[in-house]
Every structure is written in structure tokens, then in C-alpha cells.
Amino acid sequence: EEGDSSPAPEKKGASEEDDFGYRLFPDRSKKPQSFLVRSLFTFHNRCQVMLRMTLETNPYAQLLLEAMKQSGCTVFNDRHFSCENCDGCVSGGFDAATSQIVLCQNNIRQQSHMNRVVTHELIHAFDHCRAHVDWFKNVKHLACSEIRAANLSGDCTLMNEIARFKFGLKGHHQTCVRDRAVRSILAVRKVSKETAEKAVDEVFDACFNDLEPFGRIPHSKADARRAYRDFQNRDRYYANL
């Protein structure tokens, strides 16, 4: 079970300082290792290979990369992605302070998992690019991006939910999105469950219905491919005006 997240905060009490989820990403504060040392670690190599595969072949990721480029935020593989060891069962995070996506090389073992984590975190990066998201002080801003990431990344497809032994069909997608958004907030913020749930509930409708840049909820790779094609054709349409 992956816990996707994005460093950003609020305080529960003065005694308990919020670290904005950075405790989950201990490699963030270490000096980069030399290429030789890194190349000896197969985790790192595997992570890099899977990342390249996602960026080159996954329609969810391709659409987001194109949308970000058009918004003036071109993503560079070696600058904006970092394969690192993480604590716990967290799979990835968006570090708003450096505009970097952290991929947890010790916890991502399959290509399909890498596809989902990269897409989830790219949605945070897209939100960071197009809106003035206050990741660190406004828990509602964080909640909104987590709702969008759960809704649009494929986190809540029926197959993924069945794999988690969750079968409720009525309102199933919304329930999954809400639950995962709450869980993601709790992973990176020292806030109570009530605070996280309240933030998610307050912005849920608006953020669930914000489908940019997909224009639809992509329930499958085929949906994502169609959305990507529509996105590319959208430019062609405007170019002809």
C-alpha cells in the first residue's frame, strides 16, 4: 500500500514542531553521493530506468509534462526527479522548496507503481506551477492538490481498489479519493485526523471537479491516452483561430 505525499504544514501544538513530512525523506538532507557510489546501488539504477520508462511511455505523465511545459515549467529529468531511500512505506513526495519530485527507490518495485507515483507527484508539481499553492501554511491548499492527485492519477481505479480489497461501487471513486487525500495529508502534516478531514471536506467539490489538465477523470490508460490526444489537439484548434 503506497502512501503518496507532498512536503507542506500546520501545527498541533508548540511543543511538537512540524517537520513538513521531511522525516520521511532522510536523504534530502544528505550530501549527494558520487556517481561511482550511486552506480553500485541497484535500487538507484532500477529507479532511474523505471522513471525513464514512465516519462517516455506513460500517457498520464506525458500529458502532465506537456501541460507543465506550456505553463512555463519545463520538467528536466535530472533536475526535477530524485531517486532516494525513504522511511516507512511512503512511495514519493513533492518537495515544494526545491520543486523536486522524490521517488522512494527502496519502496517502488514495479513499473505500474512507478507510473502511479510519478503521475501523482507530477499533479502536485503542475498545481505548484499554475497556482500559488501555500504548501507550508494552508492545509486547504494541500488538501486540494491531494484530492486532485488521487482523482486524476489512477490511484483510485477500480483495479487498484480491488487490489486493496475495497469493493464498494456506489460513490466508490469519490470515497477512495477522499480517503487517500486525508491519508496523504496525515503522512506529511502534524495535524489531527479531524483537521485533515475538515480541510478535505471543505474543498472537495471544487477540487474534485477541477480536471486540469486532463479534461476528464482518466479511469484507465486508454482514457489517459485520449486525454493526451485531446490536449495536443486543443493547441491545434487555438492555432487555427
Side-chain angles (χ1 to χ4, degrees):
E1 183 61 21
E2 73 273 24
D4 304 303
S5 48
S6 41
E10 214 185 67
K11 293 199 170 50
K12 197 156 60 176
S15 61
E16 214 180 343
E17 195 67 20
D18 199 322
D19 69 351
F20 310 146
Y22 280 103
R23 73 192 172 286
L24 300 169
F25 306 96
D27 282 6
R28 294 269 82 191
S29 54
K30 289 183 190 160
K31 278 201 188 75
Q33 293 167 312
S34 72
F35 177 75
L36 181 65
V37 173
R38 275 213 319 267
S39 63
L40 295 173
F41 287 103
T42 53
F43 269 166
H44 192 79
N45 285 348
R46 186 181 63 188
C47 176
Q48 294 283 2
V49 169
M50 287 199 294
L51 168 61
R52 197 164 300 124
M53 182 76 137
T54 297
L55 298 180
E56 288 173 7
T57 66
N58 183 266
Y60 290 87
Q62 288 173 317
L63 195 163
L64 284 157
L65 292 172
E66 190 129 335
M68 286 185 69
K69 192 174 180 179
Q70 286 194 16
S71 300
C73 301
T74 302
V75 175
F76 297 102
N77 184 343
D78 50 353
R79 157 68 181 87
H80 293 107
F81 292 95
S82 181
C83 288
E84 300 176 10
N85 289 320
C86 307
D87 282 356
C89 60
V90 69
S91 303
F94 176 64
D95 184 349
T98 59
S99 297
Q100 256 190 343
I101 287 171
V102 185
L103 299 168
C104 299
Q105 60 195 22
N106 52 326
N107 291 333
I108 301 175
R109 297 185 181 88
Q110 290 167 311
Q111 188 64 51
S112 59
H113 190 184
M114 176 65 84
N115 292 344
R116 278 207 314 281
V117 175
V118 168
T119 301
H120 182 112
E121 303 307 339
L122 274 174
I123 291 166
H124 292 320
F126 175 76
D127 287 349
H128 187 66
C129 171
R130 71 172 181 149
H132 297 291
V133 181
D134 186 350
W135 300 103
F136 298 105
K137 294 204 183 72
N138 192 326
V139 75
K140 279 200 218 169
H141 284 195
L142 174 62
C144 188
S145 194
E146 291 296 357
I147 289 163
R148 283 175 33 75
N151 190 26
L152 300 172
S153 67
D155 281 351
C156 286
T157 59
L158 196 55
M159 289 315 293
N160 283 333
E161 279 293 88
I162 287 171
R164 299 178 192 115
F165 302 103
K166 292 185 178 167
F167 301 100
L169 287 173
K170 192 165 171 53
H172 150 92
H173 184 76
Q174 283 91 328
T175 305
C176 169
V177 168
R178 184 181 178 280
D179 290 351
R180 291 182 73 75
V182 169
R183 261 201 16 223
S184 289
I185 293 168
L186 292 175
V188 294
R189 286 294 162 280
K190 284 205 166 73
V191 296
S192 67
K193 192 166 186 219
E194 292 71 43
T195 302
E197 287 174 340
K198 184 166 178 279
V200 167
D201 289 341
E202 283 178 7
V203 299
F204 191 84
D205 287 347
C207 301
F208 184 81
N209 291 311
D210 177 3
L211 304 178
E212 281 299 306
F214 289 88
R216 68 182 85 202
I217 297 172
H219 289 293
S220 65
K221 254 192 183 166
D223 275 355
R225 265 193 292 274
R226 275 194 291 273
Y228 183 32
R229 227 178 12 249
D230 290 348
F231 186 84
Q232 291 171 309
N233 291 336
R234 177 159 67 174
D235 304 336
R236 208 167 298 141
Y237 171 78
Y238 287 128
N240 291 337
L241 289 181

